[in-house]
């Protein structure tokens, strides 16, 4: 139904962006000035209202230093070949 | 004297994306707590090598690492690109680790990039150079990059621990990407792939291919997997073999998996282990990869799980138009990428499940990254 659909949507948004994706006023994660000898000739725009990192850290746990790796697949030969037959041009399209 | 405002970040999990997004959005970053509580804290050799690579292709970038390597300060410069560059990626991570960020940065460079990368071409951890050829680079075409100007040539292969591989990457510059509406994954019409062997018999390849084909032929007849048996200097320094597979759909989507087997990275094996270690059976490797690809195809989406991160980055960097894409389950790396994109670019995706086929639709309005440094010829 439309209702469950919108609920799932909220859940995915929440899973990714955490609870406080609406304007969060937390200052814990704001870039703070770090004195530096280098002259960069200008200030950089730092937006306020960012994700509350404390929320996402609950999800992340101690993962901040886990491996930086994009490769992702699952090897399991218990896959039911019939269940994906329709993803192939040779599948049965009479259904 | 001006003061630099550093964006504060923590940990090394998505260091490459942090560096890419920092560079493209011209945001200086200070990354702290890089493996603070481990036996060997701080940046790994491959991360330092990546920073060296950044210095090579950029002008005026500033990198400062504290003594223990747990704090990195990075102030981005201008990506210059350039011809006949060379970088040794080392032997602690494969060339694929470096290619992912390098491609994005090079596209927004001042001049086209042509660079020779040395090291490990195939391993089990990062996408192989074959996957970049078959799947990653063709993806760029969707976002308006001329495929004739993109090239990756495998001069020699190299597997862990001693590598010896060499590739030449050519990447053009773009003014900007073009937004996509890319949601129809189509149906798989054929399977392609390539196996390779270095310093072992080509029998390993044939055994892998036979096992792979055995799985796929239950679903479709059009399966072609080439071989690439390497000898002499073009085989690098270590024995190994591997396979890369790609499913092509009726709407030209590409889904890939790859792996390589060898005696592993030097840091991971002690001398004692090395003596008794045996390479896995090639039939198991071939069959495992076939099932890995089928699992990914089963999830749906216009890209495979490995390419979700790149897909989201490409969408986020598009002009102020709506991009719309479909993926299977969002991977943990995909989630991290979405968060990272929001953190740097303030681009938030609208994420909605499509219950009709268990996939996920993502929409965003791009950051509108423009290449202002591009030279016109």
């Amino acid at each position: 139904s439309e209702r469950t659909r919108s609920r799932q949507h909220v859940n995915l948004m929440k899973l990714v962006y955490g609870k406080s994706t609406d304007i969060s006023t937390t200052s814990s994660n704001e870039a703070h000035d770090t004195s530096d000898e280098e002259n960069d000739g200008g200030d950089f725009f730092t937006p306020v209202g960012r994700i509350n990192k404390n929320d996402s850290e609950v999800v992340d746990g101690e993962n901040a230093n886990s491996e930086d790796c994009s490769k992702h697949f699952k090897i399991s030969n218990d896959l039911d070949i019939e269940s994906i037959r329709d993803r192939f041009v040779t599948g049965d399209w009479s259904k | 004297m001006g003061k630099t405002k550093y964006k504060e970040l923590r940990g090394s999990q998505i260091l490459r994306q942090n560096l890419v997004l920092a560079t493209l959005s011209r945001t200086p970053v200070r990354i702290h707590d890089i493996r603070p509580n481990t036996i060997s804290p701080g940046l790994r050799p491959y991360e330092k090598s990546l920073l060296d690579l950044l210095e090579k292709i950029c002008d005026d970038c500033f990198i400062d690492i504290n003594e223990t390597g747990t704090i990195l300060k990075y102030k981005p410069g201008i990506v210059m690109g350039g011809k006949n560059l060379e970088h040794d990626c080392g032997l602690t991570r494969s060339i694929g680790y470096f290619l992912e960020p390098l491609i994005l940065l090079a596209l927004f460079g001042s001049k086209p990039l042509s660079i020779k990368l040395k090291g490990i071409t195939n391993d089990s951890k990062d996408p192989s150079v074959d996957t970049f050829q078959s799947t990653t680079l063709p993806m760029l075409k969707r976002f308006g990059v001329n495929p004739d100007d993109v090239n990756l040539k495998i001069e020699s292969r190299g597997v862990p621990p001693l590598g010896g591989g060499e590739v030449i990457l050519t990447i053009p510059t773009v003014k900007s990407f073009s937004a996509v509406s890319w949601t129809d994954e189509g149906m798989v019409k054929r399977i392609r792939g390539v196996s390779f062997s270095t310093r072992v018999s080509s029998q390993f390849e044939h055994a892998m291919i036979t096992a792979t084909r055995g799985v796929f032929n239950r679903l479709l007849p059009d399966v072609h997997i080439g071989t690439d048996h390497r000898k002499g200097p073009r085989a690098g320094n270590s024995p190994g073999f591997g396979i890369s597979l790609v499913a092509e759909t009726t709407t030209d989507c590409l889904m890939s998996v790859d792996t390589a087997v060898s005696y592993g990275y030097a840091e991971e094996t002690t001398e004692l282990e090395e003596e008794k270690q045996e390479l896995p059976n090639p039939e198991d490797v071939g069959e495992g990869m076939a099932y890995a690809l089928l699992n990914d195809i089963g999830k749906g989406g216009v890209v495979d799980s490995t390419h979700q991160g790149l897909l989201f980055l490409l969408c986020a960097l598009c002009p102020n138009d709506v991009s719309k894409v479909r993926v299977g389950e969002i991977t943990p790396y995909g989630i991290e990428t979405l968060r990272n994109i929001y953190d740097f670019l303030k681009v938030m995706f609208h994420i909605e499940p499509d219950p009709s086929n268990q996939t996920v639709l993502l929409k965003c309005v791009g950051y509108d990254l423009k290449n202002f440094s591009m030279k016109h010829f």
Side-chain angles (χ1 to χ4, degrees):
Chain A
S1 71
E2 189 58 38
R3 201 163 165 180
T4 28
R5 199 181 124 113
S6 107
R7 191 178 160 78
Q8 279 178 320
H9 163 213
V10 171
N11 287 347
L12 270 181
M13 295 292 284
K14 197 169 142 184
L15 171 77
V16 173
Y17 296 113
K19 275 178 228 162
S20 40
T21 47
D22 44 347
I23 304 304
S24 152
T25 49
T26 174
S27 58
S28 64
N29 192 44
E30 282 191 296
H32 44 79
D33 291 9
T34 310
S35 294
D36 200 291
E37 294 75 27
E38 278 69 37
N39 183 3
D40 69 58
D43 270 324
F44 284 81
F45 172 62
T46 318
V48 264
R50 57 188 60 241
I51 298 177
N52 185 344
K53 261 291 156 66
N54 297 328
D55 285 340
S56 58
E57 267 167 23
V58 176
V59 183
D60 295 345
E62 281 304 301
N63 288 350
N65 281 300
S66 64
E67 192 115 68
D68 181 357
C69 197
S70 69
K71 197 161 169 173
H72 186 280
F73 54 74
K74 189 171 143 234
I75 302 173
S76 67
N77 52 10
D78 60 0
L79 175 82
D80 174 16
I81 295 267
E82 294 314 310
S83 71
I84 58 162
R85 191 168 286 281
D86 288 352
R87 300 280 299 112
F88 290 77
V89 284
T90 46
D92 176 12
W93 295 98
S94 56
K95 295 190 269 190
Chain B
M1 296 296 271
K3 253 196 308 185
T4 301
K5 224 174 201 182
Y6 285 94
K7 183 178 178 63
E8 302 284 333
L9 301 164
R10 185 180 149 253
S12 59
Q13 190 196 3
I14 38 175
L15 182 79
R16 291 179 297 166
Q17 275 180 16
N18 284 337
L19 294 173
V20 166
L21 288 166
T23 309
L24 295 180
S25 66
R26 310 257 172 110
T27 312
V29 291
R30 197 178 82 106
I31 305 172
H32 54 96
D33 285 349
I34 300 172
R35 304 186 188 88
N37 303 318
T38 54
I39 297 164
S40 57
L43 291 166
R44 295 283 176 262
Y46 54 84
E47 290 164 337
K48 288 184 182 156
S49 177
L50 177 63
L51 291 166
D52 289 344
L53 175 59
L54 280 178
E55 277 187 317
K56 254 175 222 176
I57 63 160
C58 294
D59 253 14
D60 289 332
C61 83
F62 166 78
I63 293 164
D64 181 55
I65 306 166
N66 72 339
E67 212 168 296
T68 52
T70 56
I71 302 171
L72 162 69
K73 267 200 257 178
Y74 173 66
K75 199 161 68 175
I78 307 279
V79 183
M80 297 306 291
K83 282 192 170 48
N84 303 318
L85 301 177
E86 197 174 306
H87 183 71
D88 189 342
C89 298
L91 299 173
T92 52
R93 199 78 185 250
S94 80
I95 290 171
Y97 171 87
F98 297 82
L99 286 174
E100 291 187 317
L102 182 58
I103 288 167
L104 277 175
L105 291 176
L107 286 168
F108 288 92
S110 164
K111 287 174 289 183
L113 176 76
S114 166
I115 187 166
K116 181 188 275 184
L117 299 168
K118 296 177 172 182
I120 288 159
T121 56
N122 299 76
D123 75 347
S124 58
K125 195 179 276 178
D126 290 298
S128 73
V129 291
D130 303 282
T131 294
F132 276 90
Q133 273 183 342
S134 71
T135 307
T136 318
L137 295 175
M139 235 174 101
L140 301 174
K141 185 180 155 193
R142 298 260 175 188
F143 292 84
V145 180
N146 184 352
D148 298 339
D149 298 336
V150 180
N151 193 33
L152 181 67
K153 192 163 174 250
I154 305 168
E155 300 274 358
S156 60
R157 289 188 184 268
V159 296
L162 298 175
E166 242 178 64
V167 302
I168 295 171
L169 173 74
T170 313
I171 295 284
T173 54
V174 292
K175 267 190 213 134
S176 68
F177 288 142
S178 41
V180 295
S181 178
W182 188 17
T183 54
D184 181 6
E185 64 259 71
M187 285 173 281
V188 176
K189 60 178 180 184
R190 59 181 174 231
I191 305 282
R192 293 289 178 265
V194 62
S195 68
F196 77 89
S197 52
T198 57
R199 305 193 167 271
V200 295
S201 155
S202 61
Q203 283 306 313
F204 284 95
E205 292 183 65
H206 299 302
M208 259 188 315
I209 291 172
T210 306
T212 306
R213 192 189 294 279
V215 177
F216 287 130
N217 279 347
R218 292 162 66 188
L219 287 157
L220 82 171
D222 194 353
V223 179
H224 184 83
I225 300 159
T227 59
D228 186 17
H229 178 58
R230 298 268 175 144
K231 284 185 277 196
R234 297 179 68 230
N237 305 325
S238 293
F241 59 90
I243 192 162
S244 134
L245 299 168
V246 53
E248 301 177 22
T249 75
T250 48
T251 53
D252 294 324
C253 296
L254 301 162
M255 269 139 258
S256 63
V257 294
D258 70 67
T259 198
V261 295
S262 68
Y263 291 104
Y265 283 89
E267 57 185 24
E268 287 162 5
T269 48
T270 67
E271 278 166 45
L272 267 173
E273 274 172 343
E274 211 164 318
E275 279 171 31
K276 45 188 170 180
Q277 201 187 11
E278 257 181 64
L279 293 179
N281 169 342
E283 283 87 1
D284 294 344
V285 174
E287 195 178 284
M289 281 301 108
Y291 277 108
L293 184 56
L294 291 181
N295 274 313
D296 223 291
I297 292 167
K299 285 184 188 149
V302 296
V303 298
D304 57 54
S305 301
T306 298
H307 287 89
Q308 277 184 20
L310 179 61
L311 176 69
F312 300 155
L313 283 166
L314 290 168
C315 289
L317 295 170
C318 276
N320 283 142
D321 303 319
V322 176
S323 278
K324 192 175 172 188
V325 293
R326 183 193 301 279
V327 298
E329 270 164 38
I330 308 185
T331 62
Y333 194 78
I335 291 174
E336 283 307 320
T337 305
L338 291 169
R339 288 176 183 163
N340 213 15
I341 287 169
Y342 181 75
D343 213 16
F344 274 93
L345 309 178
K346 290 282 152 252
V347 170
M348 186 183 276
F349 284 71
H350 178 89
I351 312 165
E352 191 177 25
D354 183 347
S356 70
N357 57 6
Q358 261 56 241
T359 58
V360 180
L361 284 165
L362 296 101
K363 268 188 282 191
C364 78
V365 176
Y367 173 81
D368 196 20
L369 183 70
K370 286 202 171 66
N371 187 347
F372 291 113
S373 64
M374 189 169 144
K375 292 271 190 296
H376 301 278
F377 295 103

